């Protein structure tokens, strides 16, 4: 295990970075689940859609930062549309129906996104957004560890965003309202919180998270619909961390990211490689058997 | 006005429990079977039989399988395609190990392997449920799909890395392989689907089916009533995976023919079958047929139907429109008619029975 300590450090770093990115997608899920109890399967495609919109607008000649603002506008419009068209008529339906409705949103966005922007992978506009490129080489343990600057930036931006979200949830008026809605729809309604407004806000927040995730993922690999499959990786992260916990999403993301990279590094070659595609699910599954509500999740008490 | 139930009295429990209590319904099903058995093979073109009817029958069977799990027992599964894949690959292994055994027998047996794998992945369902279980079935999806590509034993170390469908015959008529005509393959599919549907109908109307529905409606209450949750859930996984496995084996041996086996059983297919169940109607066998018909014919209809109507549409654009339409339809159905096409069919039948007096 200590034959190549620099490779080990490199692997752990790679795992850490992909963990942060999984955590970002998981964060979008958690936000929506926390505030409305909807398991939003469409978060992955929202990431792709946000990234594609940004790049697509830039290709049309819109300056980069204006494109970011316009994309935020698009995500807001999406949040309003989803609230109007999908959530409002389905209020009070069982969770499972809402879950299936987000499949509908997913498929609609795939078709819509592809017909607007085409199905080809696109290059993220890294330079225009002043995101750093290149890598830093550290000379440690008798070898090289190469850290991509964009990965460091992703980690920093992710931490900033998580801090901002924590402050938003804990200290602002809207944040309090969101927590109230999460506790009980009916109680929140009865003290004068507008459920519809809250839903738009929370889906929009998830849209912002999706855009940032899209930029970061896009900068590492291209923006394409293949990301949709990567986004499914956020599901084991959620299970590990618990559906309702923001710290859970982060910790879960890091565990899954590092775990699957180490697993691929040490055991992958023994059984044919490519085990990254399912190892995360098995880590989560093994974990579920001991703690069904996840690391930080709330224990659900059911009434018959 | 078309038909009434007046005068059709039931004098035994057996007739009260019958799946088709009305004589007209029984005539109707006989007519449908007659059409499927006689009219379609003789009047339909090869293209129609090979790329509309065969996929429709196979998807129906897979949708019935998923419906047993999701619609009747309330356990969401996103791993349907993987269980279908297990059926296909075990059928391939069986037919190379026992070349003399009839392929229809092997297709039916290969479902058992799928059932076993289904039970294995269903084991966590006692501890975890709901969305958590959906993610657990995704583990099956990704693991099995990986195994189909990376475990060479499964495809007999073929250089192509895929299943090669051998020719197998019954009374010297080729059933599988390149020499089999669409009509023979269609007849085999039809026979298997009809028999298995009858089988499924008996299960879901019997004791096991009722215990599944109790588990779906409220699992804790079902447990208090003396239903053993683990047994009921594992039985649901086993039966569901059996149907999916047979559908998967049929898919490769009677429809695709091998080459693309590893790519076919992707998560896309799992989703498509879930959509068939949702649009067709959760917890309804006939709904599985409606859903499969709707979703397997929709892309073909868009690709070939719209140009025929004079609306030019590119292949890629048709695909995008299909995606948007499917997504939109799922949302529409969930809002307007959560019980899917099957419920619409039921309403239609009820209206016909009471027409012209609505009450």
């Amino acid at each position: 295990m200590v034959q190549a300590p620099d490779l080990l450090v490199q692997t752990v770093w790679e795992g850490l970075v992909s963990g942060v990115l999984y955590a970002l997608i998981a964060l979008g899920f958690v936000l929506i689940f926390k505030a409305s109890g909807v398991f939003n399967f469409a978060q992955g495609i929202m990431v792709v859609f946000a990234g594609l919109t940004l790049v697509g607008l830039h290709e049309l000649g819109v300056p980069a930062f204006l494109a970011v603002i316009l994309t935020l506008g698009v995500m807001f419009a999406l949040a309003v549309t989803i609230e109007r068209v999908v959530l409002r008529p389905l209020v009070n339906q069982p969770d499972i129906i809402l879950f299936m409705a987000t499949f509908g949103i997913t498929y609609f966005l795939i078709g819509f996104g592809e017909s607007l922007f085409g199905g080809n992978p696109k290059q993220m506009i890294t330079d225009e957004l002043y995101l750093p490129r290149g890598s830093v080489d550290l000379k440690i343990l008798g070898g090289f560890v190469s850290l991509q600057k964009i990965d460091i930036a992703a980690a920093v931006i992710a931490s900033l965003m998580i801090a901002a979200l924590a402050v938003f949830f804990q200290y602002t008026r809207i944040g309090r309202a969101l927590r109230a809605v999460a506790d009980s729809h009916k109680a929140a309604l009865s003290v004068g919180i507008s459920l519809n407004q809250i839903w738009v806000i929370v889906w929009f927040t998830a849209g912002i998270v999706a855009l940032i995730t899209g930029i970061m993922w896009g900068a590492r690999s291209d923006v394409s619909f293949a990301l949709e499959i990567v986004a499914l990786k956020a599901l084991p992260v959620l299970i590990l961390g618990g559906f309702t916990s923001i710290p859970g999403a982060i910790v879960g993301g890091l565990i899954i990211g590092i775990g699957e990279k180490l697993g691929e590094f040490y055991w992958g070659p023994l059984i044919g490689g490519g085990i990254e595609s399912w190892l995360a699910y098995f880590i989560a599954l093994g974990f579920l058997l001991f703690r069904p509500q996840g690391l930080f999740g709330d224990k659900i008490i059911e009434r018959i | 006005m078309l038909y009434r139930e007046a005068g059709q009295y039931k004098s035994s429990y057996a007739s009260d429990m019958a799946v088709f209590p009305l004589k007209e319904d029984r005539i109707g099903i006989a007519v449908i079977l007659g059409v499927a058995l006689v009219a379609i093979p003789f009047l339909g073109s090869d293209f129609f039989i090979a790329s509309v009817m065969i996929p429709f029958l196979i998807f129906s069977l897979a949708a019935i399988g998923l419906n047993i799990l999701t619609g009747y027992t309330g356990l969401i599964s996103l791993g349907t395609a993987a269980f279908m894949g297990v059926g296909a690959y075990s059928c391939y292994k069986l037919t190379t190990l026992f070349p003399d055994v009839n392929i229809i027998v092997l297709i039916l047996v290969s479902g058992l392997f799928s059932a076993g794998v289904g039970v294995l992945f269903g084991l966590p369902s006692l501890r975890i449920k709901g969305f958590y279980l959906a993610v657990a079935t995704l583990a099956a999806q990704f693991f099995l799909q990986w195994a189909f590509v990376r475990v060479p034993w499964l495809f007999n170390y073929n250089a192509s890395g895929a299943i090669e469908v051998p020719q197998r015959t019954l009374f010297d008529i080729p059933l599988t392989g390149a020499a089999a005509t669409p009509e023979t393959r269609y007849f085999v599919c039809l026979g298997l689907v009809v028999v298995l549907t009858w089988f499924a109908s008996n299960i879901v109307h019997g004791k096991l089916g009722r215990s599944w529905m109790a588990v779906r409606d409220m699992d804790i209450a079902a447990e208090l009533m003396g239903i053993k949750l683990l047994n009921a859930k594992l039985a649901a996984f086993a039966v569901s995976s059996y149907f999916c496995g047979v559908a998967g084996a049929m898919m490769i041996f009677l429809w695709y023919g091998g080459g693309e086996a590893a790519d076919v059983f992707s998560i896309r297919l799992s989703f498509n079958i879930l959509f068939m169940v949702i649009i067709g109607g959760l917890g309804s066998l006939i709904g599985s047929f409606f859903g499969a018909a709707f979703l397997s014919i929709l892309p073909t209809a868009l690709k070939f139907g719209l140009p025929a109507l004079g609306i030019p549409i590119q292949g890629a654009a048709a695909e995008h429109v299909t995606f948007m339409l499917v997504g939109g339809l799922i949302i529409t159905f969930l809002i307007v008619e959560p019980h899917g096409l099957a419920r619409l069919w039921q309403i239609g039948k009820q209206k016909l029975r009471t027409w012209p007096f609505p009450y």
Side-chain angles (χ1 to χ4, degrees):
Chain A
M1 194 150 185
V2 279
Q3 278 164 3
D6 54 330
L7 271 184
L8 177 66
V9 174
Q10 180 77 48
T11 311
V12 170
W13 167 254
E14 301 263 322
L16 213 69
V17 172
S18 57
V20 167
L21 292 170
Y22 293 152
L24 279 177
I25 302 177
L27 204 61
F29 278 103
V30 169
L31 279 175
I32 290 179
F33 193 81
K34 234 170 124 71
S36 54
V38 179
F39 187 101
N40 178 26
F41 194 82
Q43 182 67 25
I45 199 69
M46 275 168 71
V47 170
V48 179
F49 189 71
L52 276 181
T53 312
L54 179 61
V55 180
L57 283 174
H58 188 259
E59 275 178 0
L60 289 178
V62 182
F65 282 92
L66 186 62
V68 171
I69 293 166
L70 283 180
T71 310
L72 284 179
V74 171
M75 294 320 276
F76 184 69
L78 184 69
V80 173
T81 319
I82 289 176
E83 196 276 322
R84 280 284 151 78
V85 178
V86 183
L87 297 177
R88 200 177 286 183
L90 283 176
V91 74
N92 267 337
Q93 292 279 346
D95 295 346
I96 206 98
I97 297 284
L98 285 161
F99 176 53
M100 288 175 180
T102 61
F103 279 115
I105 298 173
T106 309
Y107 263 56
F108 187 82
L109 280 183
I110 292 176
F112 191 57
E114 279 195 8
S115 52
L116 280 187
F117 307 110
N120 299 326
K122 287 182 198 292
Q123 193 104 39
M124 178 43 78
I125 41 173
T126 322
D127 294 334
E128 289 83 347
L129 291 171
Y130 299 109
L131 289 170
R133 264 175 196 253
S135 59
V136 186
D137 289 337
L138 295 181
K139 230 183 208 172
I140 47 164
L141 303 165
F144 279 106
V145 174
S146 153
L147 312 180
Q148 298 288 324
K149 279 183 187 161
I150 185 76
D151 294 345
I152 301 173
V156 171
I157 291 175
S159 330
L160 285 179
M161 196 171 68
I162 288 152
L165 282 175
V167 170
F168 174 67
F169 260 81
Q170 210 64 39
Y171 297 110
T172 62
R173 229 181 118 76
I174 296 170
R176 273 203 298 276
L178 287 177
R179 279 185 290 147
V181 171
D183 279 348
S184 162
H185 288 186
K186 276 187 197 144
L189 273 174
S190 67
V191 294
I193 294 169
S194 160
L195 212 54
N196 298 331
Q197 224 171 34
I198 291 296
W199 276 345
V200 171
I201 291 170
V202 86
W203 279 78
F204 179 49
T205 318
I208 298 173
V209 175
L211 175 61
I212 294 173
T213 320
I215 293 174
M216 288 307 163
W217 265 115
R220 297 192 83 217
S221 49
D222 287 335
V223 187
S224 73
F225 282 89
L227 264 183
E228 182 206 353
I229 297 293
V230 177
L232 287 176
K233 278 286 178 55
L235 296 176
V237 170
L238 278 171
I239 282 203
L240 208 53
F243 282 156
T244 48
S245 158
I246 290 181
I250 315 298
V251 175
L254 296 182
I255 293 177
I256 293 280
I258 295 172
E260 71 173 20
K261 283 285 187 297
L262 282 182
E264 177 76 59
F265 185 60
Y266 284 110
W267 304 315
L270 302 180
I271 51 170
I275 65 171
E276 258 184 283
S277 64
W278 49 267
L279 192 62
Y281 288 92
F282 275 74
I283 296 174
L285 208 56
F287 195 80
L288 266 188
L289 296 178
F290 298 103
R291 211 178 141 79
Q293 71 272 28
L295 271 178
F296 297 89
D298 304 326
K299 191 150 178 63
I300 306 156
I301 297 163
E302 274 184 89
R303 187 182 288 271
I304 301 175
Chain B
M1 192 62 179
L2 278 180
Y3 62 96
R4 295 268 159 94
E5 54 191 304
Q8 302 197 23
Y9 302 112
K10 293 156 191 155
S11 53
S12 68
Y13 284 117
S15 64
D16 193 37
M17 298 270 294
V19 180
F20 300 109
L22 296 184
K23 199 174 80 193
E24 286 81 358
D25 281 350
R26 289 196 291 273
I27 295 172
I29 205 82
V31 169
I32 290 172
L33 279 180
V35 168
L37 208 56
V38 180
I40 287 174
F42 287 106
L43 300 179
S45 65
D46 274 7
F47 171 80
F48 177 73
I49 291 173
S51 56
V52 177
M53 286 314 290
I54 291 179
F56 158 65
L57 285 172
I58 290 169
F59 282 134
S60 307
L61 195 60
I64 287 175
L66 184 61
N67 220 333
I68 285 172
L69 195 62
T70 305
Y72 283 97
T73 325
L75 307 165
I76 308 180
S77 166
L78 301 176
T80 322
F83 298 132
M84 291 173 73
V86 173
Y89 276 83
S90 50
C91 188
Y92 179 58
K93 285 307 282 184
L94 284 174
T95 188
T96 44
L97 287 175
F98 309 103
D100 298 330
V101 180
N102 191 294
I103 188 77
I104 298 176
V105 176
L106 290 182
I107 286 178
L108 287 171
V109 169
S110 58
L112 295 177
F113 288 87
S114 180
V117 174
V119 167
L120 208 62
F121 279 97
L123 275 177
S125 68
L126 188 70
R127 282 281 284 163
I128 57 183
K129 46 191 160 187
F131 308 128
Y132 287 95
L133 187 66
V135 178
T137 57
L138 268 183
Q141 171 70 48
F142 284 111
F143 174 70
L144 292 170
Q145 210 186 332
W146 171 86
F148 296 151
V149 182
R150 304 281 178 147
V151 182
W153 179 78
L154 284 175
F155 46 86
N156 285 353
Y157 304 94
N158 282 336
S160 61
I163 295 178
E164 286 158 9
V165 173
Q167 175 158 334
R168 293 285 181 266
T169 56
L170 177 70
F171 306 129
D172 290 332
I173 303 166
L175 294 183
T176 61
T181 60
E183 280 86 0
T184 32
R185 289 185 283 135
Y186 170 76
F187 277 123
V188 176
C189 282
L190 184 68
L192 285 170
V193 169
V194 168
V195 170
L196 285 171
T197 308
W198 174 70
F199 195 58
S201 156
N202 275 326
I203 295 178
V204 298
H205 286 95
K207 186 184 168 203
L208 193 55
R210 278 166 204 280
S211 71
W212 287 340
M213 288 183 242
V215 171
R216 170 192 65 191
D217 291 341
M218 174 123 254
D219 54 349
I220 300 175
E223 197 176 12
L224 289 174
M225 285 162 61
I227 292 168
K228 291 199 174 59
L229 279 192
L230 186 65
N231 293 359
K233 285 180 176 177
L234 289 187
F237 263 99
V239 176
S240 156
S241 309
Y242 179 82
F243 279 85
C244 292
V246 172
M250 281 162 64
M251 196 167 179
I252 289 306
F253 280 77
L254 297 170
W255 176 25
Y256 272 112
E260 343 168 37
D263 303 328
V264 170
F265 300 111
S266 67
I267 191 158
R268 264 286 136 78
L269 180 64
S270 295
F271 285 151
N272 269 337
I273 291 168
L274 181 63
F275 295 161
M276 287 171 193
V277 172
I278 297 175
I279 290 182
L282 286 159
S284 152
L285 290 182
I286 189 133
S288 309
F289 284 95
F290 287 145
F294 195 78
L295 278 191
S296 68
I297 290 167
L298 184 69
T300 321
L302 277 179
K303 208 182 271 176
F304 299 104
L306 281 183
L309 288 176
I311 305 164
I313 190 162
Q314 302 285 317
E319 203 172 304
H320 305 155
V321 172
T322 314
F323 267 108
M324 284 162 70
L325 221 76
V326 169
L329 274 172
I330 288 167
I331 296 170
T332 317
F333 264 102
L334 288 173
I335 293 170
V336 181
E337 188 50 85
H339 298 285
L341 290 168
R343 178 82 187 131
L344 293 180
W345 170 249
Q346 224 175 8
I347 292 171
K349 270 203 321 195
Q350 187 60 30
K351 287 222 149 78
L352 275 181
R353 240 150 72 180
T354 52
W355 192 81
F357 310 110
Y359 299 106

